[in-house]
Amino acid sequence: MPTISMFYGIIIRMFYDDHNPPHFHVDYGDYSAMFDFDGILIQGTIPKRQQKLIEAWAVLHKDELSANWKLSKNNETLFYINPLT
């Protein structure tokens, strides 16, 4: 699964696996979760502090996440999205 961003120990990955809603995957230490493009936790667990960071990042980069979702759907190379700084 391609990594599309990393910040503060949070790794963001995305791949199109033929299902909706559009989403991205997050790994942080031993935690794994899935979020929609509004930064809403869909599945999994992640510490609250990191969840807030992911939510802020997703809101800032919603258009880029959507563009990557379309690329992934077409089996094209995804682009890197700037981290939260």
Side-chain angles (χ1 to χ4, degrees), residues 14-46:
M14 180 186 288
F15 72 101
Y16 182 83
D17 48 5
D18 200 24
H19 70 86
N20 282 312
H23 63 278
F24 57 92
H25 297 259
V26 175
D27 290 310
Y28 176 74
D30 292 333
Y31 298 95
S32 292
M34 189 168 59
F35 289 81
D36 70 14
F37 294 171
D38 291 317
I40 306 298
L41 179 66
I42 298 172
Q43 182 179 11
T45 59
I46 200 115

Side-chain angles (χ1 to χ4, degrees), residues 3-22:
T3 298
I4 60 170
S5 195
M6 292 187 296
F7 51 92
Y8 305 117
I10 299 167
I11 300 169
I12 311 283
R13 295 186 172 102
M14 180 186 288
F15 72 101
Y16 182 83
D17 48 5
D18 200 24
H19 70 86
N20 282 312

Side-chain angles (χ1 to χ4, degrees), residues 32-66:
S32 292
M34 189 168 59
F35 289 81
D36 70 14
F37 294 171
D38 291 317
I40 306 298
L41 179 66
I42 298 172
Q43 182 179 11
T45 59
I46 200 115
K48 286 291 183 193
R49 181 169 187 249
Q50 283 69 27
Q51 187 174 340
K52 295 283 186 190
L53 294 171
I54 294 161
E55 181 181 342
W57 178 85
V59 169
L60 289 170
H61 298 288
K62 187 173 183 174
D63 291 341
E64 294 160 284
L65 288 164
S66 294

